[in-house]
Every structure is written in C-alpha cells, then in structure tokens.
Amino acid sequence: MSKTFHITTFGCQMNEHDSEVMAGMLLEKGFEPVKERRDADVAIINTCSVRENADKRFFGTLGQLKRRKKENPDFIVCVCGCMMQQQHVIDTIKAKYPWVDIIFGTHNIHQFPELVDNALNEKKKQVEIWPDGGEIVEGLPAKRLFDCKALVNIMFGCNNFCTYCIVPYTRGRERSRRPEEIIKEVRNLVSDGVKEIMLLGQNVNSYRGDEKTDFADLLYRLNEIDGLERIRFMTSHPKDLSDKLIQAFVDCDKLCKNIHLPVQSGSSRILKRMNRKYTKDAYLELVAKLKAAVPGITMSTDIIVGFPGETEEDFEETLDLVRKVRYDSAFTFLYSIRKGTPAEKYEEQVAEDVKHERFNRLVDLINSISAEKNAQYTGRIERVLVEGASKTNSKTLSGRTDGFKLVNFEGTKDMIGNLIDVEITEGKTFSLEGRLRK
Ligand code: SAH
Ligand code: SF4
Ligand code: F3S
C-alpha cells in the first residue's frame, strides 16, 4: 500500500508553489494525496509569518494534530515555510510540540523527500534549517493546483527591508533564476496544457537573469513562446517599475493588462518610515503613466492600516490616494508587529480601536469603487480563461478575464481550461456575472 500525504498551505503564492513542489516530489516517490488531513500518513504544514494571525492559525493547527499523533505514533508531522526561518518559532515547537517529526525551512525544500524517508524508515526526528539560500536548485517537479495555469518562480528572496516586513528574514536575499531555465520550464508547462503563467517574485522589477536580461527582457522572451496565451506577474515594487516595463505592456500581446502595485500607504511621511523609497506623488505619477500607456489597465494594491505613527491626516492621505487611483480591488491589512523587524521598536503604535475604525472606512471606500468599476462591465464581452466549476453547482463555471476579474457563468465542464467569450450581465463588488454568447 502506498503512503498518503496531505499539505496545508498558509500564506502567499510563493508558499502555494512550494507546496506544489513538495507534492510533486512526493508523487514521484509513489505517495498518494488525500483530501482530509486525518486520513494521511504524512501531514505537512507550510507556514506563513507575515502577520500575527498567520502565526496563531499555525499553532492552532498543530494543537489539532496532537491527538492524531497520540492515537497513531506512525503518523508523521512535517512543518516548514516562513515561520521556520525564525529561531523563536523553532524554540517554541521544540518546547511545546516535541512530537513534531520534521522541521525544515524555505531554502531547502529539495531535501524534503530525504527527510521524509528518514522519518519513515529510521524514525529519525530532524530539524534542518538553512539560514540563507545557496545555489538555486533547478528541475524540481511540481503538482499544479490547476491544469490550465501555473505559478513560475523567477526569483527568490527580497532585499528591500520594508520596516514592517518579515519576508527578507524568512526568504533571504534576492536570487534570480537564469532566463534559459525559466523559458525551458514554461515551454514544458505549455506542452503539458498550461495556457497562463504567473511569474512570482517578491519584487520582480529587480529581476536580473544575466547581464543582458532584466525583467522586461524576460517578458519579451516569454511572449514569444508558442501556445502560451497569458502572462501575469506579482509582485512589482513601485520604486523600480521602469518605463521599459510599461513599454512591455504595450508590446507583448500575451502580457495581461493588469498590475498589482502595492502602495502600503498614501502618506509620504509614513512611506518614508516604511522604507518604501517612493512618495505619494511619485506613485500617482507612475499610475498616470501606466494608465496613459495601457488604456483600460486594471489595478490592485496592498494597503497597511495603522502603521506606527500613522495619524488621522496620514490616513486621509491614503483615502485620497485610493480615490485618485480608483483600484479595481485592494488587499487591506491591519498593521501587525513582527518580531525582529525595525518597526517592532517604533514607539507610537496605533491603538487597536483606531486601527479598526480606519480599516473599516478604507474597506468601505475600496468596495464602493470596486462595485462602480465592475458595474461598467455590464454588456461587455470578456475573454475568460475557465478555471473550474463551483463546488455547489457543477453547471456554474468560473474564470478570470485578462484584467483578472473573476467571472461566474453557466457552462459545461468541457469548457474548463479553455478561453471563452462571455457576455457580462452584472458587475458585483467582488466578481462579475456572465452568460455564454448565443
Ligand atoms: N513583496 C510584496 C509583498 C509581500 S507581503 C510587496 O512588496 O508588495 C504581502 C503584503 O502583506 C504586503 O504588501 C503588505 O501589505 C502586507 N504586510 C507585510 N507585512 C505586514 C505587517 N507586518 N503587518 C500588516 N501587513 C503586512
Ligand atoms: Fe516585504 Fe517590502 Fe520585500 Fe515586499 S518588498 S517582501 S513588503 S520587504
Ligand atoms: Fe507569508 Fe512567507 Fe509568503 S511570510 S506571505 S508565506 S513569503
């Protein structure tokens, strides 16, 4: 009987992709995936540390596994991901959850199969953390979540050290993959049926594949790949979004007309304290350039509310910026203190009730703009890459437009994985409703 596994993933697409790689490696070893964690021989928890509630959810999940481990000592528990790159987390696990079998970090997932073997065969408990990434390991398999679209890492790590953020400490310094490796991977994906790729990096604008390949050059090269239909990327940092990249939006027909451009705050004073290296005006200028060069481009962003020292005036600058940019959607976060980051030491932490009150005002504004923008789609024909069927009604399909809008419509299962023209019948706050063209 083959062994079974289950992976729980917290966090961003980097983690999602790491989980796909771990699944790929286990499938190669003959393991089988199971839907429920309680049915698995090996349970893997891939953690995120970006905000405190992510940490809390992880320890909650570990607590749940304790009983299962007691009932069946052969059950293997592996924990990995960003939290494991922090010594205080490792110390807590060793002290409070000593029954965890394998602990490993973000830089050595390629060692995962070996660690599992050791745990299964020799009952060996292991903690294997690399403090920073070495050479990039190429050629690891991956089991994709979707058949028609794939996540592709182009770089690892982050050098920006925004003062609130843990990622540079958990993912190490920036390292770019060579363009040939990326192109080879994408060609293989396309021959496996992939139509859309999402290029991943914490700051794709600082990609340097070799002396003559920056991020825009990479896009031009990927745009040449036959059979590939759509290219997306995330995340790009406003501080080094080049004119050359804006031109790539104009020139590359496969590059989707959509950009996620995290602003974090609309106050130049707060942006400086966050170490973001741009001002409100510089950001607005950049947005104006993008909108002028790429008519109809859709935009999303990330915003942190209640960064230490944020005053009502600072927050109003954020509201003002949101009104000016008119984002299609935005992720909003309450500032969360992260151990080891510079902002942890900042005085003037904003009171919880003030943070929440500002957060609600911001979300109301963002949602009203999203609803207005989506309402304008009514009657339009949009090309949708159909991703799957709804869990509750198999006739309801969903997919994304070029501009990354989620569309629900009635169709048949054979449409999944294809690009299909859909007539938009209604724009809601978070999605569009549509119907097939007669
Ligand atoms: N590299 C990406 C973001 C990675 S983290 C970028 O630079 O945009 C995703 C988002 O989490 C960030 O954009 C930020 O808005 C949010 N975030 C990061 N640290 C946070 C913290 N300490 N508290 C609240 N939100 C945070
Ligand atoms: Fe974090 Fe800033 Fe790096 Fe993004 S760019 S991962 S927010 S340090
Ligand atoms: Fe979380 Fe790590 Fe991503 S901290 S957001 S999983 S890079």
Side-chain angles (χ1 to χ4, degrees):
M1 272 259 295
S2 45
K3 294 272 181 197
T4 56
F5 71 96
H6 181 276
I7 308 182
T8 308
T9 310
F10 296 106
C12 66
Q13 278 142 325
M14 302 272 163
N15 256 21
E16 223 172 86
H17 188 55
D18 286 349
S19 290
E20 291 183 343
V21 171
M22 288 188 275
M25 292 189 292
L26 288 180
L27 287 171
E28 272 194 351
K29 287 172 68 68
F31 281 59
E32 274 177 31
V34 284
K35 285 222 159 62
E36 300 291 336
R37 192 165 52 209
R38 60 173 177 272
D39 300 329
D41 297 312
V42 178
I44 301 126
I45 308 180
N46 192 3
T47 63
C48 169
S49 204
V50 80
R51 282 170 292 275
E52 197 185 1
N53 57 357
D55 285 17
K56 280 192 182 142
R57 280 167 67 201
F58 165 64
F59 285 116
T61 308
L62 260 194
Q64 289 166 18
L65 288 179
K66 186 175 181 179
R67 186 161 7 117
R68 169 100 169 90
K69 184 77 186 173
K70 248 193 193 145
E71 286 162 10
N72 175 8
D74 290 335
F75 175 55
I76 303 283
V77 178
C78 315
V79 297
C80 59
C82 286
M83 283 180 78
M84 305 309 135
Q85 294 297 141
Q86 297 164 275
Q87 191 55 46
H88 67 93
V89 174
I90 306 282
D91 295 341
T92 307
I93 296 175
K94 283 184 178 165
K96 294 194 181 156
Y97 310 88
W99 42 267
V100 167
D101 298 279
I102 302 174
I103 305 177
F104 63 105
T106 57
H107 301 298
N108 58 331
I109 31 176
H110 58 282
Q111 292 183 315
F112 173 55
E114 183 191 322
L115 299 174
V116 172
D117 277 343
N118 292 345
L120 284 171
N121 303 332
E122 302 164 35
K123 301 267 174 271
K124 195 159 120 192
K125 281 198 190 301
Q126 268 182 295
V127 181
E128 185 69 43
I129 306 286
W130 292 8
D132 205 346
E135 289 279 296
I136 293 173
V137 181
E138 292 290 352
L140 298 177
K143 172 72 187 98
R144 290 193 307 279
L145 216 53
F146 291 93
D147 290 333
C148 63
K149 59 174 197 173
L151 302 169
V152 177
N153 276 128
I154 63 164
M155 58 192 299
F156 302 92
C158 181
N159 290 353
N160 292 314
F161 292 95
C162 302
T163 53
Y164 49 82
C165 185
I166 198 73
V167 173
Y169 309 91
T170 64
R171 292 275 168 175
R173 294 296 66 71
E174 280 175 7
R175 286 146 291 142
S176 295
R177 287 178 72 194
R178 296 191 59 78
E180 301 75 44
E181 294 290 348
I182 297 167
I183 290 164
K184 188 168 86 184
E185 179 177 342
V186 174
R187 281 192 200 287
N188 287 337
L189 288 167
V190 168
S191 61
D192 195 36
V194 165
K195 299 213 164 80
E196 176 180 308
I197 52 167
M198 169 75 92
L199 305 173
L200 296 180
Q202 293 298 349
N203 175 14
V204 292
N205 294 329
S206 60
Y207 172 82
R208 275 285 169 287
D210 55 34
E211 307 74 52
K212 37 179 216 318
T213 317
D214 64 13
F215 181 53
D217 297 320
L218 179 70
L219 290 172
Y220 280 94
R221 290 175 69 176
L222 291 169
N223 194 58
E224 296 298 307
I225 295 180
D226 280 339
L228 181 64
E229 305 265 4
R230 284 177 167 182
I231 304 170
R232 302 185 188 279
F233 59 84
M234 86 185 296
T235 303
S236 63
H237 194 305
K239 80 176 160 64
D240 32 33
L241 195 154
S242 64
D243 288 347
K244 194 171 160 188
L245 176 64
I246 298 178
Q247 190 57 37
F249 272 109
V250 180
D251 296 336
C252 300
D253 58 325
K254 295 177 182 173
L255 186 58
C256 292
K257 308 291 179 271
N258 164 251
I259 190 164
H260 183 63
L261 198 60
V263 66
Q264 314 299 358
S265 168
S267 154
S268 297
R269 195 180 72 83
I270 294 294
L271 287 169
K272 195 163 182 12
R273 282 165 67 91
M274 288 176 160
N275 192 30
R276 289 292 288 182
K277 300 200 169 75
Y278 52 85
T279 60
K280 179 189 185 191
D281 288 343
Y283 184 92
L284 287 172
E285 252 171 60
L286 188 59
V287 168
K289 261 205 259 181
L290 275 162
K291 285 184 176 172
V294 195
I297 189 167
T298 54
M299 285 192 189
S300 57
T301 198
D302 291 347
I303 298 173
I304 297 176
V305 176
F307 185 77
E310 184 188 77
T311 62
E312 176 60 25
E313 289 72 39
D314 292 316
F315 176 66
E316 276 166 20
E317 294 280 349
T318 300
L319 295 177
D320 179 60
L321 179 133
V322 167
R323 281 190 206 104
K324 287 186 168 129
V325 178
R326 293 181 59 79
Y327 294 104
D328 291 270
S329 63
F331 296 98
T332 45
F333 306 107
L334 291 164
Y335 168 71
S336 166
I337 299 184
R338 301 288 65 206
K339 214 174 179 158
T341 61
E344 179 198 1
K345 303 273 178 325
Y346 288 5
E347 285 163 15
E348 326 163 77
Q349 297 287 340
V350 178
E352 284 304 311
D353 57 337
V354 176
K355 268 198 232 178
H356 279 92
E357 188 267 337
R358 287 181 191 161
F359 184 86
N360 293 341
R361 276 155 70 198
L362 178 63
V363 171
D364 286 346
L365 174 64
I366 288 167
N367 288 352
S368 69
I369 295 172
S370 299
E372 281 169 32
K373 296 201 90 171
N374 286 349
Q376 291 167 357
Y377 280 71
T378 309
R380 284 198 210 172
I381 307 296
E382 287 282 329
R383 206 151 176 73
V384 171
L385 179 60
V386 186
E387 291 175 0
S390 139
K391 282 194 186 91
T392 45
N393 179 354
S394 63
K395 271 204 232 146
T396 308
L397 303 180
S398 66
R400 299 258 175 196
T401 67
D402 182 281
F404 207 58
K405 303 260 180 200
L406 183 67
V407 183
N408 299 307
F409 64 100
E410 287 216 340
T412 48
K413 274 226 158 107
D414 55 299
M415 293 173 179
I416 295 172
N418 293 318
L419 284 149
I420 287 191
D421 284 339
V422 177
E423 183 186 340
I424 306 304
T425 52
E426 188 190 350
K428 298 182 165 178
T429 307
F430 303 110
S431 64
L432 307 174
E433 297 294 311
R435 65 169 166 240
L436 291 172
R437 291 178 77 192
K438 293 279 162 5

